[in-house]
Amino acid sequence: MLVFNTQIELVSYLNSISDQKSSVGFVPTMGALHAGHLSLIQESVKNNSINVISIFVNPTQFNSVEDLAKYPKTLDADIAKIKTVSSSIIVFAPSVDDIYGGKTVSQHFDFDGLENQMEGKFRPGHFDGVGTIVKRLFEIVKPTNAYFGEKDFQQLQIVKNMVDKNKIPVNVIGCPIFREPSGLAMSSRNERLSVIERKEAEIIYKTISQTQKLFATKSAAAVSDFVTKTFKNHPHFELEYFEIADEATLKSCVRKNKTKKYRAFIAVFVNKIRLIDTISLN
Ligand code: AMP
């Protein structure tokens, strides 16, 4: 399997193998790969002749120094996992310097307000960091199709917005959330949970699944109230936010509108580890 650590080498290799008939599939990741990432990679391999996976822990999208420092780095294990999908996948694992050239700063973006909700509210600057790295990686890889998880639904909408506005010729494809048998959404951060915390974290999916049923008959405010109460007296879990939002604009649902699609979004802290999940309510 080919692993490139610099954009110059990657671009020169891609130029040497691609022709007009090639379709380039791309899955950007921050590594510490799990079955959720692999499901995106499989989707890419199924639909493209050339497949590139990037592994890059992007510093500009972290708003907590501690979170960045603790982010797991497991490149050898990641490469072994990618090989189980296909040995012809191209891995791009650049250094921070190779990507940012000594100036590790974000570009500022206007995502039509999508960036001001939920993750954007609680992680200031996060989506400028995401926009900066995704745009940069798209310029380097020039993918035909790029795969993103619905686990980070807000990120998916933001990437679609950026691609439309900047007229970047790539299809952005959303892929379903891959879950553990308990329902817990797979995440690189799950590795930092203790055995007990991981078991207790089942409450996140259980709760949002209940909101799916409740929302059929109750108002958004009543459903939010249910979630707040569920976490209020929990000894280990702290609710950061729960939102029911319009899937297209990500604006909070105040009054239900039958023509709109809604989604529940949740972020909780367990022992300083931040977990997010989301579920469609329609
Ligand atoms: P990350 O490495 O966390 O930046 O994630 C890389 C990509 O994998 C993003 O598009 C995520 O949305 C996606 N992803 C992460 N976890 C899951 C999951 N459990 N199911 C599906 N996609 C996921």
Side-chain angles (χ1 to χ4, degrees):
M1 201 162 68
L2 284 168
V3 181
F4 293 99
N5 299 118
T6 67
Q7 42 179 307
I8 287 189
E9 287 167 308
L10 175 75
V11 170
S12 125
Y13 179 70
L14 288 175
N15 286 341
S16 75
I17 59 163
S18 50
D19 57 34
Q20 277 187 335
K21 277 187 264 153
S22 322
S23 115
V24 179
F26 178 47
V27 183
T29 81
M30 296 206 296
L33 301 185
H34 50 66
H37 295 114
L38 296 187
S39 69
L40 267 57
I41 297 173
Q42 271 151 358
E43 197 55 28
S44 176
V45 167
K46 219 164 53 188
N47 296 293
N48 300 279
S49 50
I50 297 170
N51 293 279
V52 181
I53 313 306
S54 64
I55 297 178
F56 180 66
V57 181
N58 175 37
T60 61
Q61 72 187 71
F62 284 80
N63 56 325
S64 149
V65 178
E66 191 185 345
D67 197 24
L68 172 60
K70 288 199 169 155
Y71 206 84
K73 292 188 184 73
T74 56
L75 185 61
D76 291 342
D78 291 344
I79 291 171
K81 284 178 191 165
I82 295 171
K83 248 188 211 161
T84 66
V85 180
S86 162
S87 54
S88 59
I89 292 169
I90 299 157
V91 176
F92 180 43
S95 65
V96 172
D97 222 36
D98 187 62
I99 292 294
Y100 285 100
K103 253 183 117 190
T104 315
V105 288
S106 298
Q107 183 184 336
H108 179 65
F109 290 90
D110 171 4
F111 298 114
D112 295 325
L114 293 169
E115 72 277 29
N116 300 328
Q117 316 295 330
M118 300 169 297
E119 292 297 286
K121 229 186 257 171
F122 288 91
R123 302 182 70 186
H126 171 66
F127 287 120
D128 278 342
V130 169
T132 302
I133 187 62
V134 174
K135 187 160 172 274
R136 188 79 204 96
L137 289 170
F138 281 174
E139 283 160 1
I140 296 167
V141 178
K142 296 192 175 53
T144 319
N145 301 304
Y147 299 83
F148 290 83
E150 285 183 353
K151 158 119 191 310
D152 301 280
F153 192 86
Q154 190 171 9
Q155 170 175 279
L156 172 64
Q157 299 297 62
I158 275 176
V159 170
K160 284 181 176 166
N161 178 285
M162 182 191 73
V163 160
D164 284 351
K165 273 211 185 115
N166 291 279
K167 300 191 171 51
I168 302 173
V170 56
N171 303 311
V172 175
I173 297 155
C175 301
I177 302 175
F178 210 80
R179 299 181 178 280
E180 295 189 2
S182 68
L184 176 65
M186 290 203 176
S187 163
S188 307
R189 290 191 172 90
N190 292 355
E191 299 310 312
R192 290 167 53 197
L193 300 171
S194 70
V195 175
I196 295 169
E197 285 164 351
R198 200 161 175 145
K199 174 89 191 109
E200 287 185 335
E202 293 171 13
I203 191 175
I204 301 168
Y205 181 61
K206 203 171 143 210
T207 306
I208 60 169
S209 298
Q210 282 170 309
T211 69
Q212 200 183 35
K213 288 189 199 94
L214 285 174
F215 192 63
T217 54
K218 302 241 185 305
S219 68
V223 177
S224 296
D225 207 37
F226 158 76
V227 177
T228 306
K229 284 194 183 121
T230 303
F231 283 94
K232 194 159 184 228
N233 298 316
H234 197 289
H236 306 127
F237 285 62
E238 194 190 321
L239 181 67
E240 186 177 53
Y241 67 74
F242 173 80
E243 280 282 350
I244 293 179
D246 177 338
E247 277 197 2
T249 62
L250 300 183
K251 291 210 170 102
S252 284
C253 166
V254 181
R255 190 177 293 229
K256 282 190 225 176
N257 178 332
K258 280 201 179 109
T259 63
K260 287 185 175 166
K261 278 186 155 186
Y262 294 103
R263 189 169 264 276
F265 296 85
I266 192 167
V268 296
F269 275 103
V270 195
N271 189 15
K272 291 196 185 161
I273 303 160
R274 191 170 182 279
L275 301 175
I276 60 168
D277 204 345
T278 172
I279 197 166
S280 162
L281 298 177
N282 293 77

